[in-house]
Amino acid sequence: MVTVLDMPETTSPITLNQPAPAPEPEVERGMIEIDRLGFAYGNHQVLHDVSLSIPARAVTAFIGPSGCGKTTLLRCLNRMNDLIDSARITGGAIRIEGVDINAPSVDVVDLRRRVGMVFQKSNPFPKSIYDNVAYGLRIAGVTKRALIDEAVERSLRSAALWDEVKDRLHVSGYGLSGGQQQRLCIARALAVEPEIVLMDEPCSALDPIATAKVEELIRQLKQQYTIVIVTHNMQQAGRCSDHTAFFYLGRLIEFDLTTKIFSNPGQRQTEEYITGRFG
Amino acid sequence: MEGVADPRILIPARSTSRRTQVVVEQGIKAFFGGNALVAVVVLALITIFLFREGFGFFGQNLANLRLYRQAGLEYVDIIRGVSMEHESLSRKLSEIRLREVRTMEKRNVPLEEINAKLAPFDQFASSFSDTAETLHSLVSDLTEKASALKEKLFAQAELLAQRSQLERAGAQAEAARIVVPEVDRTAALASLHQGAATYESVSADMTAKLYSLFAAAPPLPDPAAQKNFEQWKTRTREYLAALPAASEKLRTWSSEAEIPWYRSLSSFLFGREWITASFWQDWYGIIPLLVGSIMVSIVALVIAVPLGVSSAIYVSEIASRHEKRLIKPYIEFISAIPSVVLGFFGIAVVGQAVRAASQSHFFKWVSFFPISERLNIFTAGCLLALMAVPTIFTLSEDALRNVPRGFKEASYALGANRLQTIGRVLVPASLSGIVSAILLGLGRVIGETMVVLLCAGNRIAIPDFTQGLGAIFQPVHTMTGIIAQEMGEVVRGSTHYRALFMVGLVLFTITLGINYLAQKLVTRFRMSIG
């Protein structure tokens, strides 16, 4: 019982396990190219030989059972794994617009500004709503009040939160509900005008109504941003993504249009996972 | 468990087992409850004892202050104040001379030449101090009279107290046998009062002499010294102008004027002198001790806060796992050093080193160096900082570690570097925890006794703040130090004994306040993180 909403007709399928049909002209190459990536925590190999091409201005979902490496892969995309001592890349490369993000010449601060992230648990800073959204700009050295004001309003509008908070911008972000907090975190990520937004199970702690709002938001945001979302919720992947990648035990099993994955998966494991036979 | 012993019955007979269970449960409850009760009761008793002994101070101190007035000591002290001020002006003159000599020495002027140049100034200084000869002798004369009267009055009061005690005990006959001598207070006070007339003639004489001396004041070769000298002259003129005020006071002074009850409290809380076992008058003013404790604590915190908080930040955010394993236990280990050992180290090493450093050529530019005292506020503060660092470090590190990982990740994901993340997210998020860590460190410092007793120099005096930062290189006594030092020697129940209890109470109030504040902050901190 999978219903796919808002499926765009224009984007082309990008697959790896099957020979891809000749790409249509508007997407000749993915925005993010993951090329035979291997990744390990200490001696524990988490990702094996993952190759994937994520298209621009579309939503790509990573699905798979717990521990399959999807979150790890997501965190590789903005090098959040650098914060973990034992984490290391064991092979392959990730290229964003053709640039290897792990190259020594790449400034990680700059990379993270271009690749925003929204976390599983909403994590606003213990500051006011305004200061939360302004944080990214301030650390980037923006001091002009007018610029910050404008960016805060724009981001909160993009996150569909402006109308709910515009009268209390200077109260603590903790006064908001769980769903609002998560949208605040999305606004915070959008304020620095990233090109790519990574979302790590953004709705796992939200109730169905808040989830619906965030999903609606994700569908709107893909007009401007490239979105990669990790989710445990099959319906969610079906509802809001254009492409879906299925991972199992650190390997990419299948990557295709979401419609294809959910209606006619190419691999038996994918089908079993989607239909709920394991996972 | 007797039921288990019987192999045929798997579940022991209910009635007996239940009863034993109830008994055991009650026993356990009684054991823990009893322990808690003993602790609470003992603490309550200590507090009550502290308050009871301390509050007796006010009555006794009031009697002490009344005797001060009735025996005319207060009267004499008015004149003594004038004479002391004269002495301090005289000292100022020799200070000016010393500075002048130093500056000339720096310019390599030979000693004979210096002395020759300063000869007129010396002449001036010695004639200045001569002008107070008669005043000094008047003071010492009156002092003798007043203290004789005080002794008599004191003995009389003692005997009266003894008699009333016997009467209360029912021994009327014995009580009647105690002869209380009459003290002729009026005659003694009248003879004191003659001092007023003498004082007036003396002060008139002195004023005339000093004005003629001023006219012949010699100039000083150095402009800076000349400026000091001019300042001194202004001060002396003010002093002379104030002389009639003292004589007015003497005329209106009466031994019978009532001393209000609150003077007993205010002379303790705002008194600037702590003088005990004196032949003249005992003063129990907490200010020098309080200032000493506060100064030492401030110095300790100024040193300990950056060290403790920075190392906490380093260990929780920057250090590798290997470094963490080394640094954390090492810093916490410092708190295992007994304070007496630290104090000993302070005397033998830190104090010595600070004095040696202050004498070195390297620090010649510092105006208040070289310092004369090896044991001073700074030495004690350094050592106390060592004791406060582990407290501040451990608790701050806890607070930093308890900041949710999400804050850190969100900050990094927005493109913050490590410094920005620490400064804008981690420290603000754990600020109340860090502040409460600092407060608990302060509580530890202000209550610490051994180190200050050994290293603070134990001079009961308010530091001379006119020296600026130099004030922290002066010896002080502290509230904790004075209790430890004097409690063993005082007579039980005496005013001095009770005054020490009052000092203890003040200390108790301060540490209680600090701990309460820290607790409140910690709860707030937990709430904001939770």
Side-chain angles (χ1 to χ4, degrees), chain A residues 75 78 80 83 85 109 112-113 115-117 119 123-127 135-136 138-139 174 188-189 192, chain B residues 319-321 404-417 420-421 424-425 428-429 528-529:
Chain A
R75 291 167 65 96
N78 65 347
M80 280 305 274
L83 300 179
D85 281 342
V109 165
R112 288 183 186 146
R113 246 166 237 162
V115 186
M117 190 163 197
F119 296 84
N123 54 359
F125 298 127
K127 299 173 188 278
Y135 182 83
R138 285 190 177 140
I139 56 170
Y174 281 107
R188 183 175 65 186
V192 290
Chain B
S320 69
R321 215 181 319 164
R405 227 179 68 158
F407 290 174
K408 197 159 90 172
E409 289 192 329
S411 172
Y412 282 121
L414 286 164
N417 58 33
Q420 288 169 326
T421 305
R424 292 179 183 236
V425 175
S528 76
I529 294 298

Side-chain angles (χ1 to χ4, degrees), chain B residues 350-364 369-371:
Chain B
V350 181
Q352 207 67 267
V354 168
R355 190 167 62 177
S358 81
Q359 286 162 347
S360 81
H361 193 70
F362 201 67
F363 286 112
K364 242 186 172 160
F369 276 174
I371 55 173

Side-chain angles (χ1 to χ4, degrees), chain B residues 33 47 64 85 108 159 196-197 205 210 217 225-226 261 317 350 378 401 411 429 452 457 483 495 497 514 523:
Chain B
T47 319
N64 174 32
E85 180 68 19
N108 291 326
L159 287 174
D205 182 38
L210 282 179
Q226 183 63 34
W261 61 270
E317 294 311 318
V350 181
F378 184 75
R401 204 151 25 84
S411 172
V452 289
I483 297 175
T495 318
Y497 167 86
I514 291 171
T523 3

Side-chain angles (χ1 to χ4, degrees), chain B residues 369-384:
Chain B
F369 276 174
I371 55 173
S372 50
E373 303 286 341
R374 166 170 73 111
L375 302 179
N376 52 41
I377 298 175
F378 184 75
T379 313
C382 285
L383 272 294
L384 283 180

Side-chain angles (χ1 to χ4, degrees), chain A residues 123-143:
Chain A
N123 54 359
F125 298 127
K127 299 173 188 278
S128 71
I129 293 171
Y130 182 93
D131 288 338
N132 260 288
V133 182
Y135 182 83
L137 296 166
R138 285 190 177 140
I139 56 170
V142 180
T143 49

